[in-house]
């Protein structure tokens, strides 16, 4: 063992653990109500959802009969819609009450599997080349830069050849109006995500024609 490296590793793991604890307790706090308002952290969620959900769904590539992985699925704002077209949806969230609520709303669709898991967990077992579409809406902002890099690299591996990654994130500043005691959300510049995706594709020697990515940023909606 390289004794000189141990303290550095310990510090790095410590930072990762703190990030996980902070983000988990943030979502435990904000998911108590299990409502669309809590999922979108906005008192105007019902109205926003009516406009935004069809808009986002319209941007997705065709997933008719295909396998879809939905990360940070929440109470299922998108899960039911995805299941209407998809062959199969694996919906995942790290708050148990949230994914159970999703199951209570959407569980009548027998093509959905619900999973309680943290997307950053090294124990998350998802097979390589197993999904046609990986979808997330407002998830990566709750991961550190390093966690985003690792997750995106994994997403690329989980995709089948010709698959698509779609993620949508808030950038620059807070958008929803809900009161927050603390806010550990990472509001980044869009170029961070572009860089991470390009790095993951280059590192894995996969050309952009093999994996298509759609990065959707929400900052425009909230700029006056
Ligand atoms: C802003 S909500 C969005 C929910 C849903 N995608 C939507 O648009 O309605 C973020 C969701 O991501 C989940 N989440 C945050 N970090 C996660 C992680 N590391 N692993 C799994 N789920 C996570 C939260 O529990 C929450 O349900």
């Amino acid at each position: 063992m390289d004794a000189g490296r141990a303290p550095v590793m310990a510090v790095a793991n410590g930072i990762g653990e703190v990030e996980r604890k902070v983000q988990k307790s943030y979502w435990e706090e904000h998911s108590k109500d299990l409502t669309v308002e809590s999922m979108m952290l906005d008192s105007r969620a019902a109205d926003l959802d009516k406009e935004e959900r069809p808009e986002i769904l319209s941007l997705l590539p065709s997933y008719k009969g295909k396998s879809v992985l939905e990360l940070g699925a929440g109470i299922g704002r998108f899960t039911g819609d995805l299941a209407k077209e998809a062959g199969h949806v694996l919906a995942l969230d790290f708050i148990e009450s949230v994914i159970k609520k999703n199951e209570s709303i959407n569980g009548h669709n027998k093509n959905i599997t619900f999973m309680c898991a943290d997307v950053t967990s090294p124990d998350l077992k998802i097979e390589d080349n197993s999904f046609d579409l990986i979808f997330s809406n407002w998830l990566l902002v709750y991961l550190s830069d390093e966690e985003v890099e690792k997750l995106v690299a994994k997403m690329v591996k989980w995709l089948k050849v010709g698959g698509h990654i779609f993620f949508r994130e808030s950038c620059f500043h807070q958008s929803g109006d809900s009161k927050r005691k603390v806010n550990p959300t990472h509001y980044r510049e869009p170029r961070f995500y572009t860089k991470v995706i390009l790095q993951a594709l280059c590192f894995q020697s996969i050309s952009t024609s093999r994996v298509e990515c759609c990065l959707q940023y929400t900052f425009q909606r909230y700029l006056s």
Side-chain angles (χ1 to χ4, degrees):
M1 177 177 160
D2 182 351
R5 295 185 71 175
V8 178
M9 290 295 289
V11 170
N13 287 340
I15 292 169
E17 280 168 26
V18 170
E19 176 81 23
R20 280 305 87 222
K21 276 194 187 147
V22 169
Q23 298 294 354
K24 188 93 188 270
S25 70
Y26 180 71
W27 274 105
E28 278 163 353
E29 171 75 22
H30 288 283
S31 58
K32 283 183 188 146
D33 294 343
L34 299 173
T35 57
V36 179
E37 285 71 23
S38 59
M39 285 293 97
M40 295 179 76
L41 296 163
D42 201 310
S43 62
R44 303 156 299 176
D47 288 338
L48 287 173
D49 176 58
K50 269 187 221 145
E51 270 185 49
E52 168 208 75
R53 190 151 39 102
E55 183 190 327
I56 293 176
L57 290 167
S58 75
L59 293 168
L60 298 182
S62 169
Y63 51 94
K64 197 169 173 51
K66 305 234 166 140
S67 51
V68 178
L69 172 61
E70 186 188 9
L71 300 173
I75 63 169
R77 235 162 35 91
F78 292 94
T79 314
D81 283 318
L82 292 171
K84 277 185 207 150
E85 286 275 311
H88 182 257
V89 178
L90 173 56
L92 182 153
D93 202 283
F94 74 163
I95 303 290
E96 198 171 4
S97 57
V98 165
I99 199 70
K100 282 199 167 144
K101 177 77 177 179
N102 191 334
E103 187 164 10
S104 75
I105 296 170
N106 295 305
H108 58 280
N109 294 290
K110 296 300 168 214
N111 60 343
I112 308 175
T113 304
F114 300 88
M115 187 193 279
C116 184
D118 189 316
V119 295
T120 67
S121 169
D123 300 329
L124 189 60
K125 299 278 178 273
I126 295 179
E127 283 191 20
D128 290 356
N129 302 311
S130 55
F131 287 96
D132 296 293
L133 171 64
I134 301 179
F135 172 86
S136 68
N137 186 56
W138 288 325
L139 168 72
L140 303 181
V141 282
Y142 307 112
L143 308 188
S144 69
D145 290 3
E146 195 188 344
E147 288 169 337
V148 173
E149 283 168 11
K150 285 188 180 161
L151 178 61
V152 170
K154 284 190 204 167
M155 283 181 184
V156 172
K157 289 187 177 170
W158 295 336
L159 273 188
K160 290 183 189 171
V161 173
H164 294 78
I165 294 172
F166 180 100
F167 62 85
R168 176 173 178 270
E169 297 299 333
S170 287
C171 292
F172 296 125
H173 53 74
Q174 181 177 320
S175 49
D177 67 1
S178 76
K179 296 247 180 316
R180 300 160 217 203
K181 282 185 222 147
V182 286
N183 188 353
T185 312
H186 300 280
Y187 301 105
R188 302 180 167 103
E189 291 189 24
R191 66 181 170 179
F192 169 81
Y193 296 109
T194 309
K195 184 194 81 182
V196 171
I197 277 282
L198 290 176
Q199 268 172 0
L201 294 173
C202 293
F203 185 69
Q204 296 183 34
S205 309
I206 294 172
S207 73
T208 44
S209 61
R210 195 181 151 192
V211 177
E212 280 186 44
C213 304
C214 180
L215 295 89
Q216 176 77 15
Y217 306 113
T218 55
F219 61 92
Q220 284 162 324
R221 171 176 298 260
Y222 297 101
L223 285 180
S224 53

